[in-house]
Amino acid sequence: MTISLPATAAALSVVLAALCLLVVPAAGFYLPGVAPNDFEKKDHLPVKVNKLTSIKTQLPYSFYSLPFCKPDTIVDSAENLGEVLRGDRIENSPYVFEMRVPQMCQIVCKISVGEKEGKVLKEKIEDEYRVNMILDNLPLVVPIQRVDQEGAYFYQHGFHVGAKGQYSGSKDEKYFIHNHLSFTVKYHRDAQRDVSRIVAFEVKPYSVKHEYGQWNDKKTHLTTCDPNAKRIITSSDSPLEVEAGKDIVFTYDVDFKESDIKWASRWDSYLLMTDDQIHWFSIVNSLMIVLFLSGMVAMIMLRTLYRDISKYNQLETQEEAQEETGWKLVHGDVFRPPANSDWLCVYVGTGVQFFGMMLVTMVFAVLGFLSPSNRGGLMTAMLLLWVFMGLLAGYSSSRLYKLFKGSEWKNIALRTAFTFPGSVFTVFFFLNILIWGQKSSGAVPFTTMFALVLLWFGISVPLVFVGSYLGFKKPAIEDPVKTNKIPRQVPEQAWYMNSIFSILIGGILPFGAVFIELFFILTSIWLHQFYYIFGFLFLVFLILIVTCAEISIVLCYFQLCSEDYLWWWRSYLTSGSSALYLFLYATFYFYTKLEITKFVSAILYFGYMLIASYAFFALTGTIGFYACLMFTRLIYSSVKIE
């Protein structure tokens, strides 16, 4: 017999190191063809309001669910699928701006607070809800002075509905509402055409107990701020307490400041993070560690296999190969179909569907198609790609099914089309009922739910069947060695080769490749921050693929050397077990970083993280499975049985 093994994996670490140099962070730039809005002096600037958000409840609410000033007619903006699923509710507002025309102490309206309104306001202040607004597609932010850099700021998205505090000499906590907003609109001016482009939208909220004589709608003269005397509010010495039976006067200032920031770079300030240096250092450090481990694993694998090759070739030369040992001994059973092979085909197809969706999504994100300026674009793209990748899911599951000598391809296609989406939809529907019960705007409307079901049954399911049909029509993949009719007995294994132990150990390295990046992803989702470093995310994704493949191959090789040929499911579960560590880390993140107190909000968090972990299991498990499948076919195809 002769054995040959191409040494292509040796250059793996070099290729990844080169990718480190090539991948750059994707900032909030705009693609060619996206036209900016040019405004002349005194042009009308429509200010829109968005949902109320809180990191303590994770339940968004409509802006007008609180007793705020309303326009004569509330008009909902057209929203894409991703925005609806995120709970965005974009509507017009009573705030009226004119380009480069400053305004001071403009009265919006007066609201009388009843028992119900006062209770709702206090609840939202207690839960630290923030008000979100939009101007020219830019979100409203509150500039906060950075401690580490003098004159530098970072932005918090939206302003708090109000604040809790105490009067001097009193221990009773009171609730104060932010009823005066001091807006600042920064613009970049084109001197030649005398037009301006908006590059920032900032606010400083105040709680002010306005004083006035007789109320006369918006013509009332306020003694607390006088636009004619140019007396503006710079502090809240007399804050407005939320009390039933009292009135709230809402006012605002707006100032316009010229800026050197160009329109194409206006998102850069929004995307700056408070811990950017730690962020970059952590990512680079994590990448270097994983690259080193990946290189070591590849070298160990190659050296071990070459030692086996030399041993077998030497034995054949000396005609001493009286009895085969190690992985070669199980060549007659290694390609025997596993137990529950149908379900393995289903989960491999689901993993391929996820892999295709993630790969294409990240490519589009790196190219800038899914920048933060395109609200809801990322979620919309992922949903649509998942639907269309059903073709790959059906194809890969039926190809593997035919390898296992199966004949009922329609049954496999049906399970592939409904197993994962059905379980996720069930959890999602249950969570949506909880959100609906809280009267939150995050509850998906019936029409959107119907659209999701239509995408599933109308596009995804047919594509899975088409892919399954095409995959089953192709000739079956031939095994490199024949399978014995009678299965051999698996010898008793050492404790460290126990299936549960090796599976749990196998998931540590893939999780280690992503856990640093996972922290920032969770922060962006649950603490309502922008995530924008898609370049590094793509690199981490590539390293995840490598580590899943390598750890699965290593443990599969050790398993075969122990004469245990039941590798099919274990190869899937070895790298797929990283999903368990992901869920455990999400639990750790919940108790250490989040301040969620409501039971419903906790259920939502763990429900969505369970879905994410389930998807991560299918993705990483499929990568490990295909790596082991190619590895076993490679080494056994090189063995010539006499």
Side-chain angles (χ1 to χ4, degrees), residues 148-280:
D148 54 342
Q149 298 179 22
E150 187 176 351
Y153 294 86
F154 68 90
Y155 289 151
Q156 287 186 347
H157 303 294
F159 63 91
H160 283 110
V161 173
K164 290 194 302 181
Q166 301 169 339
Y167 290 112
S168 58
S170 173
K171 294 182 179 180
D172 296 333
E173 279 197 333
K174 302 293 184 180
Y175 295 86
F176 303 98
I177 186 171
H178 288 142
N179 62 321
H180 180 84
L181 304 177
S182 182
F183 295 105
T184 300
V185 179
K186 295 182 179 179
Y187 63 92
H188 183 79
R189 184 183 175 194
D190 187 341
Q192 295 180 346
R193 296 187 300 150
D194 196 28
V195 294
S196 304
R197 296 175 179 176
I198 296 174
V199 296
F201 184 33
E202 303 174 2
V203 70
K204 289 184 179 180
Y206 299 98
S207 178
V208 181
K209 188 175 183 180
H210 284 299
E211 298 176 359
Y212 54 90
Q214 185 177 1
W215 182 261
N216 184 18
D217 200 17
K218 295 185 180 181
K219 298 180 181 179
T220 303
H221 175 71
L222 300 177
T223 58
T224 42
C225 64
D226 187 355
N228 297 321
K230 295 185 178 181
R231 180 187 175 188
I232 62 175
I233 295 172
T234 57
S235 64
S236 356
D237 296 331
S238 300
L240 179 62
E241 183 182 343
V242 177
E243 290 182 286
K246 299 291 184 179
D247 295 334
I248 300 176
V249 178
F250 289 93
T251 57
Y252 72 94
D253 302 327
V254 57
D255 190 21
F256 291 85
K257 293 183 179 180
E258 189 169 354
S259 173
D260 295 331
I261 300 174
K262 295 185 178 180
W263 183 86
S265 304
R266 65 178 187 168
W267 275 90
D268 291 354
S269 300
Y270 284 73
L271 301 179
L272 285 176
M273 303 180 70
T274 57
D275 53 354
D276 50 353
Q277 292 181 347
I278 298 175
H279 181 85
W280 291 113

Side-chain angles (χ1 to χ4, degrees), residues 118 121 167 174 177 193 229 232 245 267 335 485 507 536 540-541 562 586:
L121 278 174
Y167 290 112
K174 302 293 184 180
I177 186 171
R193 296 187 300 150
I232 62 175
W267 275 90
F335 292 107
K485 292 182 179 180
F536 272 105
V540 170
F541 181 63
S562 300

